Each structure stands twice: as structure tokens, then as C-alpha cells.
Amino acid sequence: MSQPKIRVRALKKAFGSKVVLDGVDLDVEQGTALVVVGGSGTGKSVLIKSILGLVTPDAGMIEIDGEDVLKASPARARELRGQIGMLFQNGALFDSLPVWENVTFGLLAQKRIRRREARDKAVEILAQVGLGADVAKLSPSELSGGMQKRVALARAIAAEPAIMFFDEPTTGLDPIMGAVIDELIVHCVKKLGSSSIAITHDMASAQRIGDNAAMLYQGKVTWAGPARELLTTTNPVVEQFTHGRAEGPIQMALRR
Amino acid sequence: MNRLLDLVALLGAAVLGFVGYIGEVSLFALSGLSHIFRPPYYPRLVGKAFMDIGYFSLPVVALTALFTGMVLALQSYTGFSRFGAESAIASVVVLSVTRELGPVLAGLMVSGRAGAAMAAELGTMRVTDQIDALSTLSTEPMKYLVAPRLLAGIIALPLLVVLADILGVAGGYIVATEKLGFAPGTYLSSTFSNFEAQDVISGLIKAAVFGFVIALMGCFNGYRSKGGAQGVGTATTTAVVSASILILALDYVLTQLLFVK
Ligand SMILES: Nc1ncnc2c1ncn2[C@@H]1O[C@H](COP(=O)(O)OP(=O)(O)OP(=O)(O)O)[C@@H](O)[C@H]1O
Ligand SMILES: [Mg+2]
């Protein structure tokens, strides 16, 4: 088997006395999509932010293309992580810039396009996420939440990155738009041959996007397997989660 | 005895915390400054920051300087007329405005306006993940957000202070000639004979330092803010209060360095 695009081993992170990640192991094979599921506050966002270098883990190993980014020189780590395009959970659009500049921000920063081409390029990418050319000149605050999410998605995929992270890409979208976005993600990942990690709470979405799935629970990956087995596995934690039952090993109400 | 030890421990912790804070601010400042000199450069952002700090502060700095010059003339007249030393008014106005009041008052006003706005903007960007987003889009946040603001602060404040100096002296002139009955010619010649290029230049050096401090405190507190809207509010307050105190303290230090020989 070829080398995984991303390999995470024994990753640990605590905030003060609160342990969030307690030894996470994870593989993303080249050109595949991994969906990460798990309850609210189990550290899914912290996990991908650690891979991105936005959160510094306490211990463990994160390999991209077989190189440990935590041990690499800052310049090399930046280079490795530079392959990652990220859709933030809340969009994180730059509200001082119009939509078109948001979408082409990475391309402009890498000098892959010129400023006067940027608007047309933005319109092109926006069309892929189902947004019209009229949106390009608006400011992010003039958009609905769902539109912001799609602009953020457009920004994340604009540079056609080799690795894509999607933090809850379909939360806040109507079911149809959710399905459209899922399709788009699948299309992008397949077309570019990218490897991706998507965080989601939506089981239908997980089925559509994911090749593989991992369930994060109490700081560890308690279950990992093919995404389609999410709904059929007998693992009690996964079962309770996917069927959304209040009774079971996961005690939401009793958690601090 | 135990209480005493507790007190010492508390004091020690406070001192350590303070030293650590100074260290963090210094590292932040060095990193920000070093990014000014390394490409890529963002002239557009420097221009925008310059407009925010300099251009939009013009009215408030102008009014402050004008009224301060006017009050200064009025007050020194009251004092000096007791000794029959009214003729010293022009020199008092020009000296205090160019050496002290121009830079310090402009610094305090700009800190309240632009420093607060910087902290609020960067703070909001921090808590909404926009700063993190920058670094995932091949952009170094310190270079993109902090360096242009530091540079703009260093350039804008001296220019504002030139204006403040002129208007402060003009305020004194207006009150002296219109209200206190000085002959315009006498007052002006007395102003110019007391006018020292050295004073103005020292005042502008102060201004550049204050501009740096304002931008630094605005950026540092905004950049480090956490905890949602409340955190941004705290960052804004801290930015203005710490910049104001630093301006007054550094004014003393710089006066000592520049004027006391
Ligand atoms: N910067 C931080 N400082 C302190 N605690 C943090 C920080 N970031 C995250 N946490 C804590 O880490 C835990 C995991 O957060 P995270 O955002 O990863 O959850 P999540 O799994 O993404 O949840 P959700 O599905 O609601 O987005 C939370 O309990 C949160 O309080
Ligand atoms: Mg999250």
C-alpha cells in the first residue's frame, strides 16, 4: 500500500486541565476522503487545527507525505501545510474584503493570478458553488449564513489544494444545498485527486462524502472503517451516535 | 509568618507575570518590525492603515491642538500678569506646544481613536478565525496585519504633530491678539524668536515613538484577544489604557534623553 497522505499518531492536546485529544491515531490515504464524526466538543476542530499548525499539540506525531511536520523546520512545515485548503466551521471570511477578493485571496497571495484577472476568476469559482456573479462584489456581511459558507468553500478550493479540510461544510445549509455542496466536495476531491478530511454531524452527508470514517470519542478514535459501515457497525458508541439515541454509552447530559 | 510568605509569593508571581508580559510584547514588536523590512510588502495596506491613523484623526487632533493653544495663552496670561511678565506668553505657548503638548495630546487622541479601532478589528478577526484563515492562505498574519499598521503609526503621528504644533501656536496667537490685546507683530516676533527647530524635531521623534506604541498596543491586544465579543471589548480597553500610560511614561523618558543635557 502506498504511503498515507496524512498520518497522525498518539496526538495529545489539553487546554489547561481539560484533556481534549488523548492519543488520536488517524490515516488519510492518498486521494481518499475521511469523514470524522463525533459529539459536539469532542475535539474534531482541534484535531484538524493541529494538523494545520493553528493549535500546537502537546505530544504525538503528524506526518504529511511521510514527513513529521512537528519536527520539520518551520519553513518546511509551512511548505507541507501549504498544500492544505481549509473551510472553517464558521466560514472565517475576511469581512474587510469583498467576496471576490476573499475567494481569490490565496491565488493572489501565491501570485498565481494577477489582480485584474481576479474578479473573473472569482466569478468562475463562485459558479462552482452555485453562486451568481452578482455576489462577487458584495461584502461578506451582506450574505446569508449559507451563502457565506459557500463563499468560504469557494475560497478553500480556489487554489485546488492537494489536501482539503472541511469543518462542517453543510451545517446551516438547507438539505438540497447541502446535497449540492456534498456533491461539489466529492467532485473536487476526485477531480483533483486531493485527499480530504471532512467533519460532519450529518450521517447522510458522511455517506456521500466519505470513503472512510472515524469516530472521535473521549479523546480517541474509538472506531474507524469504511464510511458505509458507519450505519451498520455494532460498535455501541457509533451506533448510538448515528441513530441519535439519548441512551447509551455517550452521556451527553452528564458531561461537564 | 505564613501570611507574609503568601504576600511575598503573590508579589513574586505578579512580578514574574509582568516581566513575562514585557517579554511577550517585545517579541511581538520585534517580529512585527522585522516583517516591515522583508517582502512581500503590502503598500496598499500601509496606505489604508495610514488613512485610518493619520487622515481620519486630523479633525480631532486639530481641534485638540487649537483649543489647547488657546487655553494655554489664557492661563499663562493670568499667571504672568501678576509679575508683569505678560510678554513671556508667546514663548510659553510655543515651547510647551512643540516640546510636549503637541506630541502627547496627539498621541492620546489617536490612541483613543485609531488604537482602539485596531484592537477591535484584529480582535474580531482573531475570535472569528480570520487570522487563522490568513495563514491557511499563504499569508503571514504578522506581515499582513501588524507590520503595515506599525509602519503607518510611525509615519502618521509625526505628520499629525506638525499640524498640531501649527494649530496650537495659532490658537495662542488668536487668543493673545483678539482677547488679551497683544499687537500681532510683537506676538509673532516673540513667537519666532523662541521657536527652535531642535524643539520641533525632538517633538517629532517623540511622536514617531508614540505612533509606534499606539499601533503596537492596538495590534498586540487585538491579536491576542480571546473569548468572543467580551474578549474583544477587553482588548480594546487594554489597548487604549496601556498605550496612554506608555505615552505619558515614555514622554518623561524621552524628555530626559532629548532635552536634559
Ligand atoms: N483555544 C482554546 N482554548 C481552550 N479550550 C479550547 C480551545 N479550543 C477548543 N477548546 C476546547 O476543546 C474542546 C473541543 O473543541 P472543538 O472545537 O474541537 O470541538 P468540536 O468537536 O469541533 O465540536 P463541534 O462539533 O461543536 O464543533 C472544547 O471543549 C473546547 O472547549
Ligand atoms: Mg468544531
Side-chain angles (χ1 to χ4, degrees), chain A residues 159-181:
Chain A
E160 309 194 330
I163 304 173
M164 302 185 192
F165 288 175
F166 307 103
D167 197 345
E168 307 197 7
T170 53
T171 308
L173 299 178
D174 66 74
I176 299 173
M177 190 42 77
V180 170
I181 293 294

PDB file of all heavy atoms in Angstrom, chain A residues 159-181:
ATOM      1  N   ALA A 159      -7.510  27.383  -4.770  1.00  0.00           N
ATOM      2  CA  ALA A 159      -6.138  27.095  -5.173  1.00  0.00           C
ATOM      3  C   ALA A 159      -5.953  25.624  -5.549  1.00  0.00           C
ATOM      4  O   ALA A 159      -4.828  25.191  -5.790  1.00  0.00           O
ATOM      5  CB  ALA A 159      -5.179  27.477  -4.051  1.00  0.00           C
ATOM      6  N   GLU A 160      -7.038  24.884  -5.624  1.00  0.00           N
ATOM      7  CA  GLU A 160      -7.003  23.461  -5.952  1.00  0.00           C
ATOM      8  C   GLU A 160      -5.951  22.719  -5.138  1.00  0.00           C
ATOM      9  O   GLU A 160      -5.038  22.096  -5.670  1.00  0.00           O
ATOM     10  CB  GLU A 160      -6.735  23.283  -7.459  1.00  0.00           C
ATOM     11  CG  GLU A 160      -7.688  24.130  -8.288  1.00  0.00           C
ATOM     12  CD  GLU A 160      -7.686  23.739  -9.763  1.00  0.00           C
ATOM     13  OE1 GLU A 160      -6.637  23.271 -10.240  1.00  0.00           O
ATOM     14  OE2 GLU A 160      -8.740  23.884 -10.403  1.00  0.00           O
ATOM     15  N   PRO A 161      -6.106  22.784  -3.804  1.00  0.00           N
ATOM     16  CA  PRO A 161      -5.081  22.216  -2.923  1.00  0.00           C
ATOM     17  C   PRO A 161      -5.069  20.685  -2.966  1.00  0.00           C
ATOM     18  O   PRO A 161      -6.081  20.062  -3.280  1.00  0.00           O
ATOM     19  CB  PRO A 161      -5.499  22.705  -1.540  1.00  0.00           C
ATOM     20  CG  PRO A 161      -6.954  22.942  -1.635  1.00  0.00           C
ATOM     21  CD  PRO A 161      -7.223  23.374  -3.034  1.00  0.00           C
ATOM     22  N   ALA A 162      -3.910  20.126  -2.643  1.00  0.00           N
ATOM     23  CA  ALA A 162      -3.763  18.671  -2.647  1.00  0.00           C
ATOM     24  C   ALA A 162      -4.445  18.033  -1.444  1.00  0.00           C
ATOM     25  O   ALA A 162      -4.765  16.851  -1.450  1.00  0.00           O
ATOM     26  CB  ALA A 162      -2.283  18.308  -2.669  1.00  0.00           C
ATOM     27  N   ILE A 163      -4.641  18.840  -0.403  1.00  0.00           N
ATOM     28  CA  ILE A 163      -5.333  18.354   0.788  1.00  0.00           C
ATOM     29  C   ILE A 163      -6.443  19.354   1.114  1.00  0.00           C
ATOM     30  O   ILE A 163      -6.222  20.561   1.054  1.00  0.00           O
ATOM     31  CB  ILE A 163      -4.383  18.257   1.998  1.00  0.00           C
ATOM     32  CG1 ILE A 163      -3.183  17.372   1.685  1.00  0.00           C
ATOM     33  CG2 ILE A 163      -5.125  17.743   3.217  1.00  0.00           C
ATOM     34  CD1 ILE A 163      -2.134  17.367   2.783  1.00  0.00           C
ATOM     35  N   MET A 164      -7.610  18.848   1.428  1.00  0.00           N
ATOM     36  CA  MET A 164      -8.694  19.763   1.785  1.00  0.00           C
ATOM     37  C   MET A 164      -9.310  19.343   3.114  1.00  0.00           C
ATOM     38  O   MET A 164      -9.587  18.174   3.329  1.00  0.00           O
ATOM     39  CB  MET A 164      -9.786  19.747   0.727  1.00  0.00           C
ATOM     40  CG  MET A 164      -9.289  20.123  -0.646  1.00  0.00           C
ATOM     41  SD  MET A 164     -10.673  20.225  -1.782  1.00  0.00           S
ATOM     42  CE  MET A 164      -9.802  20.306  -3.340  1.00  0.00           C
ATOM     43  N   PHE A 165      -9.515  20.338   3.981  1.00  0.00           N
ATOM     44  CA  PHE A 165     -10.200  20.098   5.241  1.00  0.00           C
ATOM     45  C   PHE A 165     -11.523  20.854   5.209  1.00  0.00           C
ATOM     46  O   PHE A 165     -11.567  22.032   4.865  1.00  0.00           O
ATOM     47  CB  PHE A 165      -9.375  20.634   6.419  1.00  0.00           C
ATOM     48  CG  PHE A 165      -8.140  19.825   6.717  1.00  0.00           C
ATOM     49  CD1 PHE A 165      -7.250  20.267   7.687  1.00  0.00           C
ATOM     50  CD2 PHE A 165      -7.862  18.640   6.050  1.00  0.00           C
ATOM     51  CE1 PHE A 165      -6.101  19.542   7.971  1.00  0.00           C
ATOM     52  CE2 PHE A 165      -6.721  17.908   6.329  1.00  0.00           C
ATOM     53  CZ  PHE A 165      -5.838  18.365   7.290  1.00  0.00           C
ATOM     54  N   PHE A 166     -12.589  20.163   5.573  1.00  0.00           N
ATOM     55  CA  PHE A 166     -13.894  20.812   5.620  1.00  0.00           C
ATOM     56  C   PHE A 166     -14.453  20.644   7.028  1.00  0.00           C
ATOM     57  O   PHE A 166     -14.762  19.540   7.444  1.00  0.00           O
ATOM     58  CB  PHE A 166     -14.858  20.161   4.627  1.00  0.00           C
ATOM     59  CG  PHE A 166     -14.312  20.096   3.225  1.00  0.00           C
ATOM     60  CD1 PHE A 166     -13.808  18.902   2.716  1.00  0.00           C
ATOM     61  CD2 PHE A 166     -14.312  21.217   2.411  1.00  0.00           C
ATOM     62  CE1 PHE A 166     -13.309  18.822   1.423  1.00  0.00           C
ATOM     63  CE2 PHE A 166     -13.807  21.157   1.118  1.00  0.00           C
ATOM     64  CZ  PHE A 166     -13.309  19.956   0.621  1.00  0.00           C
ATOM     65  N   ASP A 167     -14.566  21.755   7.754  1.00  0.00           N
ATOM     66  CA  ASP A 167     -15.126  21.671   9.100  1.00  0.00           C
ATOM     67  C   ASP A 167     -16.625  21.969   9.025  1.00  0.00           C
ATOM     68  O   ASP A 167     -17.029  23.118   8.929  1.00  0.00           O
ATOM     69  CB  ASP A 167     -14.417  22.658  10.028  1.00  0.00           C
ATOM     70  CG  ASP A 167     -14.661  22.329  11.499  1.00  0.00           C
ATOM     71  OD1 ASP A 167     -15.586  21.532  11.778  1.00  0.00           O
ATOM     72  OD2 ASP A 167     -13.937  22.868  12.356  1.00  0.00           O
ATOM     73  N   GLU A 168     -17.421  20.916   9.054  1.00  0.00           N
ATOM     74  CA  GLU A 168     -18.877  21.010   8.956  1.00  0.00           C
ATOM     75  C   GLU A 168     -19.318  21.813   7.734  1.00  0.00           C
ATOM     76  O   GLU A 168     -19.917  22.884   7.872  1.00  0.00           O
ATOM     77  CB  GLU A 168     -19.455  21.592  10.248  1.00  0.00           C
ATOM     78  CG  GLU A 168     -18.970  20.801  11.453  1.00  0.00           C
ATOM     79  CD  GLU A 168     -19.812  21.039  12.708  1.00  0.00           C
ATOM     80  OE1 GLU A 168     -20.840  21.711  12.610  1.00  0.00           O
ATOM     81  OE2 GLU A 168     -19.420  20.520  13.756  1.00  0.00           O
ATOM     82  N   PRO A 169     -19.065  21.282   6.558  1.00  0.00           N
ATOM     83  CA  PRO A 169     -19.351  22.038   5.328  1.00  0.00           C
ATOM     84  C   PRO A 169     -20.828  22.274   5.085  1.00  0.00           C
ATOM     85  O   PRO A 169     -21.190  23.233   4.416  1.00  0.00           O
ATOM     86  CB  PRO A 169     -18.755  21.163   4.218  1.00  0.00           C
ATOM     87  CG  PRO A 169     -18.698  19.795   4.790  1.00  0.00           C
ATOM     88  CD  PRO A 169     -18.448  19.979   6.258  1.00  0.00           C
ATOM     89  N   THR A 170     -21.700  21.411   5.610  1.00  0.00           N
ATOM     90  CA  THR A 170     -23.116  21.548   5.254  1.00  0.00           C
ATOM     91  C   THR A 170     -23.986  22.034   6.409  1.00  0.00           C
ATOM     92  O   THR A 170     -25.184  22.202   6.246  1.00  0.00           O
ATOM     93  CB  THR A 170     -23.687  20.210   4.749  1.00  0.00           C
ATOM     94  OG1 THR A 170     -23.408  19.195   5.713  1.00  0.00           O
ATOM     95  CG2 THR A 170     -23.054  19.833   3.432  1.00  0.00           C
ATOM     96  N   THR A 171     -23.368  22.286   7.576  1.00  0.00           N
ATOM     97  CA  THR A 171     -24.153  22.823   8.683  1.00  0.00           C
ATOM     98  C   THR A 171     -24.692  24.203   8.298  1.00  0.00           C
ATOM     99  O   THR A 171     -23.952  25.033   7.791  1.00  0.00           O
ATOM    100  CB  THR A 171     -23.283  22.947   9.944  1.00  0.00           C
ATOM    101  OG1 THR A 171     -22.657  21.701  10.161  1.00  0.00           O
ATOM    102  CG2 THR A 171     -24.114  23.312  11.151  1.00  0.00           C
ATOM    103  N   GLY A 172     -25.969  24.427   8.518  1.00  0.00           N
ATOM    104  CA  GLY A 172     -26.553  25.726   8.212  1.00  0.00           C
ATOM    105  C   GLY A 172     -27.035  25.853   6.788  1.00  0.00           C
ATOM    106  O   GLY A 172     -27.445  26.936   6.377  1.00  0.00           O
ATOM    107  N   LEU A 173     -26.958  24.777   6.016  1.00  0.00           N
ATOM    108  CA  LEU A 173     -27.494  24.826   4.653  1.00  0.00           C
ATOM    109  C   LEU A 173     -28.799  24.048   4.605  1.00  0.00           C
ATOM    110  O   LEU A 173     -29.010  23.110   5.376  1.00  0.00           O
ATOM    111  CB  LEU A 173     -26.500  24.199   3.669  1.00  0.00           C
ATOM    112  CG  LEU A 173     -25.128  24.858   3.568  1.00  0.00           C
ATOM    113  CD1 LEU A 173     -24.258  24.093   2.589  1.00  0.00           C
ATOM    114  CD2 LEU A 173     -25.265  26.301   3.129  1.00  0.00           C
ATOM    115  N   ASP A 174     -29.668  24.406   3.665  1.00  0.00           N
ATOM    116  CA  ASP A 174     -30.884  23.619   3.517  1.00  0.00           C
ATOM    117  C   ASP A 174     -30.507  22.265   2.911  1.00  0.00           C
ATOM    118  O   ASP A 174     -29.426  22.124   2.330  1.00  0.00           O
ATOM    119  CB  ASP A 174     -31.911  24.370   2.667  1.00  0.00           C
ATOM    120  CG  ASP A 174     -31.454  24.553   1.242  1.00  0.00           C
ATOM    121  OD1 ASP A 174     -31.463  23.562   0.486  1.00  0.00           O
ATOM    122  OD2 ASP A 174     -31.046  25.678   0.890  1.00  0.00           O
ATOM    123  N   PRO A 175     -31.375  21.250   3.048  1.00  0.00           N
ATOM    124  CA  PRO A 175     -30.986  19.891   2.655  1.00  0.00           C
ATOM    125  C   PRO A 175     -30.548  19.790   1.193  1.00  0.00           C
ATOM    126  O   PRO A 175     -29.606  19.052   0.880  1.00  0.00           O
ATOM    127  CB  PRO A 175     -32.255  19.064   2.880  1.00  0.00           C
ATOM    128  CG  PRO A 175     -33.110  19.867   3.763  1.00  0.00           C
ATOM    129  CD  PRO A 175     -32.730  21.289   3.618  1.00  0.00           C
ATOM    130  N   ILE A 176     -31.219  20.535   0.326  1.00  0.00           N
ATOM    131  CA  ILE A 176     -30.854  20.437  -1.088  1.00  0.00           C
ATOM    132  C   ILE A 176     -29.484  21.040  -1.330  1.00  0.00           C
ATOM    133  O   ILE A 176     -28.615  20.439  -1.956  1.00  0.00           O
ATOM    134  CB  ILE A 176     -31.920  21.137  -1.960  1.00  0.00           C
ATOM    135  CG1 ILE A 176     -33.268  20.434  -1.752  1.00  0.00           C
ATOM    136  CG2 ILE A 176     -31.514  21.112  -3.420  1.00  0.00           C
ATOM    137  CD1 ILE A 176     -34.424  21.116  -2.413  1.00  0.00           C
ATOM    138  N   MET A 177     -29.275  22.239  -0.785  1.00  0.00           N
ATOM    139  CA  MET A 177     -27.967  22.866  -0.955  1.00  0.00           C
ATOM    140  C   MET A 177     -26.896  22.025  -0.285  1.00  0.00           C
ATOM    141  O   MET A 177     -25.781  21.914  -0.790  1.00  0.00           O
ATOM    142  CB  MET A 177     -27.996  24.291  -0.372  1.00  0.00           C
ATOM    143  CG  MET A 177     -26.785  25.133  -0.706  1.00  0.00           C
ATOM    144  SD  MET A 177     -26.200  24.988  -2.410  1.00  0.00           S
ATOM    145  CE  MET A 177     -27.395  25.979  -3.281  1.00  0.00           C
ATOM    146  N   GLY A 178     -27.255  21.399   0.831  1.00  0.00           N
ATOM    147  CA  GLY A 178     -26.312  20.502   1.497  1.00  0.00           C
ATOM    148  C   GLY A 178     -25.870  19.393   0.562  1.00  0.00           C
ATOM    149  O   GLY A 178     -24.666  19.102   0.443  1.00  0.00           O
ATOM    150  N   ALA A 179     -26.850  18.811  -0.133  1.00  0.00           N
ATOM    151  CA  ALA A 179     -26.517  17.724  -1.056  1.00  0.00           C
ATOM    152  C   ALA A 179     -25.667  18.241  -2.215  1.00  0.00           C
ATOM    153  O   ALA A 179     -24.726  17.572  -2.658  1.00  0.00           O
ATOM    154  CB  ALA A 179     -27.798  17.095  -1.585  1.00  0.00           C
ATOM    155  N   VAL A 180     -25.983  19.456  -2.683  1.00  0.00           N
ATOM    156  CA  VAL A 180     -25.200  20.049  -3.773  1.00  0.00           C
ATOM    157  C   VAL A 180     -23.747  20.245  -3.343  1.00  0.00           C
ATOM    158  O   VAL A 180     -22.807  19.930  -4.073  1.00  0.00           O
ATOM    159  CB  VAL A 180     -25.831  21.399  -4.207  1.00  0.00           C
ATOM    160  CG1 VAL A 180     -24.893  22.131  -5.155  1.00  0.00           C
ATOM    161  CG2 VAL A 180     -27.175  21.168  -4.848  1.00  0.00           C
ATOM    162  N   ILE A 181     -23.586  20.779  -2.126  1.00  0.00           N
ATOM    163  CA  ILE A 181     -22.231  21.026  -1.631  1.00  0.00           C
ATOM    164  C   ILE A 181     -21.478  19.705  -1.465  1.00  0.00           C
ATOM    165  O   ILE A 181     -20.298  19.590  -1.819  1.00  0.00           O
ATOM    166  CB  ILE A 181     -22.288  21.793  -0.286  1.00  0.00           C
ATOM    167  CG1 ILE A 181     -22.826  23.202  -0.502  1.00  0.00           C
ATOM    168  CG2 ILE A 181     -20.922  21.838   0.377  1.00  0.00           C
ATOM    169  CD1 ILE A 181     -21.942  24.092  -1.327  1.00  0.00           C
TER     170      ILE A 181
END
